[in-house]
Amino acid sequence: PEYISVANLARAVKMRLDDFIVQMQNMGFEDVSHDHVMNAEVAGLIAMEYGYEPIADTSKEEDLLPRPPPEDKSVLQPRPPIVTIMGHVDHGKTTILDWLRKSSIVATEHGGITQHIGAFSVTMPSGKIITFLDTPGHSAFLSMRERGANVTDIVILVVAADDSVKPQTIEAIKHAKAANVPIIVAINKIDKEGTDIDAVKQDLAKNGVDIEDFGGDTQVVLVSGKTGQGMEGLEEAAVTLSEVLDMRAETDGPCEGWVLEAGTEKRGRVATALVNRGTLRPGDIIVAGQTWSRVRSLINEHGVEVEFAGPGTPVTVDGWRDQPLAGDSILQAVSEASKKVINFRMEKAERLRQATDMEAINNQR
Ligand code: GDP
Ligand code: MG
């Protein structure tokens, strides 16, 4: 059912109705009566408080579901394109990313990269911003794709001139095709002696890449991540293609995004989030997979705290109740009811933490 009454939910979690009503009032629900109804999401959150694992039939929920895309995209704001670097191991993905990242440090006033981040934005000489992603963990990528998410707008396929097309190159080509994402080929290591660029192009064509040289529309750029040769050409190719794609998104409304990476730092559990719709701000309540966060702070790829993150922007997000997983989708909780339940849980977790601290102090005495 889409909705459930308080009385039925109390029965479902095997609680006495009046005890259950008191509990709900403690959570911040006012004027609770036995015939008060709530939607499946709120009921599920409450049931989890009693140790139940709700099986959600999400087919009819309104809150915590991605919004349908708008009908008229031209009213939306331009957003930075997401460019993912893919290719066979040792072909130079990290070297190329580092080169792009360095140019981003030169372009900003801040001191530099203070932490590893698998996603970063670069302001191009033209002023256009591009967001680059390190190839996310394979499973994360698959889980995002299973949900029909095109996390990336453009794939830069790195192929070493001295090694040509290899199994992971072919896998990357398949991935880009399945996701219907355009490719820019970067033939790397052109500083090396005795390479055969034409043979590499032939191999690419044999594997279904429609490269420009053979009448297709896939650009091929010759680069060296080591010497920097051709790298401006690669950036230009990305800018040109992204101008054609003209990526846009709404900057208002509930935030949606993806967890690219997750881990633990000094400030606690963090996740690198990539916003794809709406704007994320401190204080927002977001849900990812089995966990949620009341966002305390947002930190960009330069280690600088920011006040908001809009579409196409990667940020690390803290405040997680449990560790989210790479590949989880992020949705903002906007209904007052779901906020109440989540706030209640955050406070309960905090009280529990304080109680544990007190216990530790008492034990030391
Ligand atoms: P990844 O596994 O694709 O991330 O590859 P890496 O960026 O780690 O590079 C693998 C090796 O190739 C490293 O030893 C790099 O120094 C080297 N390498 C990367 N790009 C170039 C290049 O343009 N020229 C030369 N000569 N070596 C390169
Ligand atoms: Mg690497």
Side-chain angles (χ1 to χ4, degrees), residues 93-109:
K93 298 180 295 294
T94 302
T95 308
I96 288 174
L97 269 167
D98 282 349
W99 198 94
L100 295 164
R101 198 180 266 142
K102 258 180 240 139
S103 64
S104 84
I105 297 169
V106 175
T108 64
E109 315 236 314

PDB file of all heavy atoms in Angstrom, residues 93-109:
ATOM      1  N   LYS A  93      46.825   6.935 -17.953  1.00  0.00           N
ATOM      2  CA  LYS A  93      45.645   7.670 -17.459  1.00  0.00           C
ATOM      3  C   LYS A  93      46.012   8.608 -16.310  1.00  0.00           C
ATOM      4  O   LYS A  93      45.661   9.787 -16.329  1.00  0.00           O
ATOM      5  CB  LYS A  93      44.560   6.686 -16.978  1.00  0.00           C
ATOM      6  CG  LYS A  93      44.030   5.780 -18.066  1.00  0.00           C
ATOM      7  CD  LYS A  93      42.972   4.831 -17.543  1.00  0.00           C
ATOM      8  CE  LYS A  93      43.505   3.828 -16.528  1.00  0.00           C
ATOM      9  NZ  LYS A  93      44.462   2.859 -17.086  1.00  0.00           N
ATOM     10  N   THR A  94      46.707   8.052 -15.315  1.00  0.00           N
ATOM     11  CA  THR A  94      47.044   8.863 -14.142  1.00  0.00           C
ATOM     12  C   THR A  94      47.966  10.005 -14.516  1.00  0.00           C
ATOM     13  O   THR A  94      47.804  11.136 -14.041  1.00  0.00           O
ATOM     14  CB  THR A  94      47.675   7.969 -13.055  1.00  0.00           C
ATOM     15  OG1 THR A  94      46.746   6.931 -12.740  1.00  0.00           O
ATOM     16  CG2 THR A  94      47.987   8.763 -11.803  1.00  0.00           C
ATOM     17  N   THR A  95      48.928   9.723 -15.404  1.00  0.00           N
ATOM     18  CA  THR A  95      49.866  10.769 -15.832  1.00  0.00           C
ATOM     19  C   THR A  95      49.115  11.921 -16.506  1.00  0.00           C
ATOM     20  O   THR A  95      49.365  13.094 -16.226  1.00  0.00           O
ATOM     21  CB  THR A  95      50.908  10.164 -16.806  1.00  0.00           C
ATOM     22  OG1 THR A  95      51.475   9.012 -16.189  1.00  0.00           O
ATOM     23  CG2 THR A  95      52.001  11.163 -17.134  1.00  0.00           C
ATOM     24  N   ILE A  96      48.169  11.573 -17.361  1.00  0.00           N
ATOM     25  CA  ILE A  96      47.391  12.608 -18.060  1.00  0.00           C
ATOM     26  C   ILE A  96      46.513  13.380 -17.070  1.00  0.00           C
ATOM     27  O   ILE A  96      46.446  14.613 -17.118  1.00  0.00           O
ATOM     28  CB  ILE A  96      46.572  11.978 -19.212  1.00  0.00           C
ATOM     29  CG1 ILE A  96      47.533  11.575 -20.341  1.00  0.00           C
ATOM     30  CG2 ILE A  96      45.484  12.933 -19.713  1.00  0.00           C
ATOM     31  CD1 ILE A  96      46.889  10.817 -21.477  1.00  0.00           C
ATOM     32  N   LEU A  97      45.896  12.652 -16.150  1.00  0.00           N
ATOM     33  CA  LEU A  97      45.074  13.322 -15.131  1.00  0.00           C
ATOM     34  C   LEU A  97      45.913  14.280 -14.295  1.00  0.00           C
ATOM     35  O   LEU A  97      45.489  15.399 -14.000  1.00  0.00           O
ATOM     36  CB  LEU A  97      44.426  12.288 -14.202  1.00  0.00           C
ATOM     37  CG  LEU A  97      43.053  11.798 -14.620  1.00  0.00           C
ATOM     38  CD1 LEU A  97      42.669  10.576 -13.818  1.00  0.00           C
ATOM     39  CD2 LEU A  97      42.007  12.891 -14.424  1.00  0.00           C
ATOM     40  N   ASP A  98      47.095  13.818 -13.907  1.00  0.00           N
ATOM     41  CA  ASP A  98      47.972  14.681 -13.107  1.00  0.00           C
ATOM     42  C   ASP A  98      48.329  15.945 -13.875  1.00  0.00           C
ATOM     43  O   ASP A  98      48.393  17.028 -13.305  1.00  0.00           O
ATOM     44  CB  ASP A  98      49.260  13.936 -12.712  1.00  0.00           C
ATOM     45  CG  ASP A  98      49.016  12.980 -11.563  1.00  0.00           C
ATOM     46  OD1 ASP A  98      47.925  13.053 -10.950  1.00  0.00           O
ATOM     47  OD2 ASP A  98      49.906  12.154 -11.273  1.00  0.00           O
ATOM     48  N   TRP A  99      48.555  15.795 -15.148  1.00  0.00           N
ATOM     49  CA  TRP A  99      48.896  16.956 -15.970  1.00  0.00           C
ATOM     50  C   TRP A  99      47.732  17.943 -15.978  1.00  0.00           C
ATOM     51  O   TRP A  99      47.920  19.141 -15.789  1.00  0.00           O
ATOM     52  CB  TRP A  99      49.237  16.506 -17.402  1.00  0.00           C
ATOM     53  CG  TRP A  99      49.996  17.549 -18.157  1.00  0.00           C
ATOM     54  CD1 TRP A  99      51.350  17.658 -18.284  1.00  0.00           C
ATOM     55  CD2 TRP A  99      49.433  18.655 -18.863  1.00  0.00           C
ATOM     56  NE1 TRP A  99      51.663  18.758 -19.030  1.00  0.00           N
ATOM     57  CE2 TRP A  99      50.515  19.393 -19.393  1.00  0.00           C
ATOM     58  CE3 TRP A  99      48.131  19.098 -19.098  1.00  0.00           C
ATOM     59  CZ2 TRP A  99      50.315  20.550 -20.152  1.00  0.00           C
ATOM     60  CZ3 TRP A  99      47.935  20.250 -19.843  1.00  0.00           C
ATOM     61  CH2 TRP A  99      49.029  20.963 -20.362  1.00  0.00           C
ATOM     62  N   LEU A 100      46.529  17.419 -16.167  1.00  0.00           N
ATOM     63  CA  LEU A 100      45.334  18.282 -16.179  1.00  0.00           C
ATOM     64  C   LEU A 100      45.136  18.936 -14.811  1.00  0.00           C
ATOM     65  O   LEU A 100      44.762  20.099 -14.717  1.00  0.00           O
ATOM     66  CB  LEU A 100      44.095  17.459 -16.542  1.00  0.00           C
ATOM     67  CG  LEU A 100      44.078  16.879 -17.959  1.00  0.00           C
ATOM     68  CD1 LEU A 100      43.040  15.781 -18.081  1.00  0.00           C
ATOM     69  CD2 LEU A 100      43.786  17.997 -18.975  1.00  0.00           C
ATOM     70  N   ARG A 101      45.385  18.168 -13.772  1.00  0.00           N
ATOM     71  CA  ARG A 101      45.209  18.645 -12.404  1.00  0.00           C
ATOM     72  C   ARG A 101      46.206  19.761 -12.100  1.00  0.00           C
ATOM     73  O   ARG A 101      45.851  20.760 -11.505  1.00  0.00           O
ATOM     74  CB  ARG A 101      45.446  17.471 -11.466  1.00  0.00           C
ATOM     75  CG  ARG A 101      44.916  17.646 -10.076  1.00  0.00           C
ATOM     76  CD  ARG A 101      45.231  16.389  -9.285  1.00  0.00           C
ATOM     77  NE  ARG A 101      44.151  15.438  -9.288  1.00  0.00           N
ATOM     78  CZ  ARG A 101      44.306  14.113  -9.356  1.00  0.00           C
ATOM     79  NH1 ARG A 101      45.502  13.596  -9.476  1.00  0.00           N
ATOM     80  NH2 ARG A 101      43.268  13.329  -9.313  1.00  0.00           N
ATOM     81  N   LYS A 102      47.441  19.586 -12.568  1.00  0.00           N
ATOM     82  CA  LYS A 102      48.467  20.608 -12.336  1.00  0.00           C
ATOM     83  C   LYS A 102      48.065  21.907 -13.003  1.00  0.00           C
ATOM     84  O   LYS A 102      48.200  22.970 -12.426  1.00  0.00           O
ATOM     85  CB  LYS A 102      49.818  20.138 -12.895  1.00  0.00           C
ATOM     86  CG  LYS A 102      50.746  19.646 -11.817  1.00  0.00           C
ATOM     87  CD  LYS A 102      52.066  19.182 -12.414  1.00  0.00           C
ATOM     88  CE  LYS A 102      52.329  17.734 -12.104  1.00  0.00           C
ATOM     89  NZ  LYS A 102      52.878  16.962 -13.207  1.00  0.00           N
ATOM     90  N   SER A 103      47.528  21.792 -14.229  1.00  0.00           N
ATOM     91  CA  SER A 103      47.140  23.022 -14.902  1.00  0.00           C
ATOM     92  C   SER A 103      46.003  23.680 -14.127  1.00  0.00           C
ATOM     93  O   SER A 103      45.853  24.893 -14.146  1.00  0.00           O
ATOM     94  CB  SER A 103      46.749  22.754 -16.354  1.00  0.00           C
ATOM     95  OG  SER A 103      45.606  21.943 -16.415  1.00  0.00           O
ATOM     96  N   SER A 104      45.227  22.865 -13.386  1.00  0.00           N
ATOM     97  CA  SER A 104      44.143  23.456 -12.598  1.00  0.00           C
ATOM     98  C   SER A 104      44.691  24.178 -11.381  1.00  0.00           C
ATOM     99  O   SER A 104      44.130  25.163 -10.929  1.00  0.00           O
ATOM    100  CB  SER A 104      43.133  22.388 -12.177  1.00  0.00           C
ATOM    101  OG  SER A 104      43.553  21.723 -11.015  1.00  0.00           O
ATOM    102  N   ILE A 105      45.802  23.700 -10.844  1.00  0.00           N
ATOM    103  CA  ILE A 105      46.391  24.373  -9.678  1.00  0.00           C
ATOM    104  C   ILE A 105      46.955  25.723 -10.100  1.00  0.00           C
ATOM    105  O   ILE A 105      46.770  26.724  -9.438  1.00  0.00           O
ATOM    106  CB  ILE A 105      47.505  23.514  -9.033  1.00  0.00           C
ATOM    107  CG1 ILE A 105      46.905  22.221  -8.520  1.00  0.00           C
ATOM    108  CG2 ILE A 105      48.180  24.258  -7.907  1.00  0.00           C
ATOM    109  CD1 ILE A 105      47.915  21.198  -8.120  1.00  0.00           C
ATOM    110  N   VAL A 106      47.616  25.721 -11.269  1.00  0.00           N
ATOM    111  CA  VAL A 106      48.151  26.973 -11.782  1.00  0.00           C
ATOM    112  C   VAL A 106      47.019  27.976 -11.989  1.00  0.00           C
ATOM    113  O   VAL A 106      47.171  29.159 -11.722  1.00  0.00           O
ATOM    114  CB  VAL A 106      48.912  26.731 -13.116  1.00  0.00           C
ATOM    115  CG1 VAL A 106      49.375  28.038 -13.722  1.00  0.00           C
ATOM    116  CG2 VAL A 106      50.097  25.804 -12.876  1.00  0.00           C
ATOM    117  N   ALA A 107      45.886  27.459 -12.402  1.00  0.00           N
ATOM    118  CA  ALA A 107      44.769  28.341 -12.734  1.00  0.00           C
ATOM    119  C   ALA A 107      44.015  28.851 -11.513  1.00  0.00           C
ATOM    120  O   ALA A 107      43.160  29.695 -11.620  1.00  0.00           O
ATOM    121  CB  ALA A 107      43.799  27.621 -13.659  1.00  0.00           C
ATOM    122  N   THR A 108      44.297  28.328 -10.313  1.00  0.00           N
ATOM    123  CA  THR A 108      43.578  28.793  -9.133  1.00  0.00           C
ATOM    124  C   THR A 108      44.537  29.487  -8.175  1.00  0.00           C
ATOM    125  O   THR A 108      45.743  29.365  -8.287  1.00  0.00           O
ATOM    126  CB  THR A 108      42.899  27.631  -8.368  1.00  0.00           C
ATOM    127  OG1 THR A 108      43.926  26.776  -7.887  1.00  0.00           O
ATOM    128  CG2 THR A 108      41.944  26.869  -9.245  1.00  0.00           C
ATOM    129  N   GLU A 109      43.955  30.194  -7.226  1.00  0.00           N
ATOM    130  CA  GLU A 109      44.775  30.949  -6.281  1.00  0.00           C
ATOM    131  C   GLU A 109      45.224  30.080  -5.117  1.00  0.00           C
ATOM    132  O   GLU A 109      46.120  30.438  -4.391  1.00  0.00           O
ATOM    133  CB  GLU A 109      43.951  32.104  -5.713  1.00  0.00           C
ATOM    134  CG  GLU A 109      43.180  32.856  -6.782  1.00  0.00           C
ATOM    135  CD  GLU A 109      43.502  34.314  -6.780  1.00  0.00           C
ATOM    136  OE1 GLU A 109      43.526  34.901  -5.697  1.00  0.00           O
ATOM    137  OE2 GLU A 109      43.769  34.853  -7.869  1.00  0.00           O
TER     138      GLU A 109
END
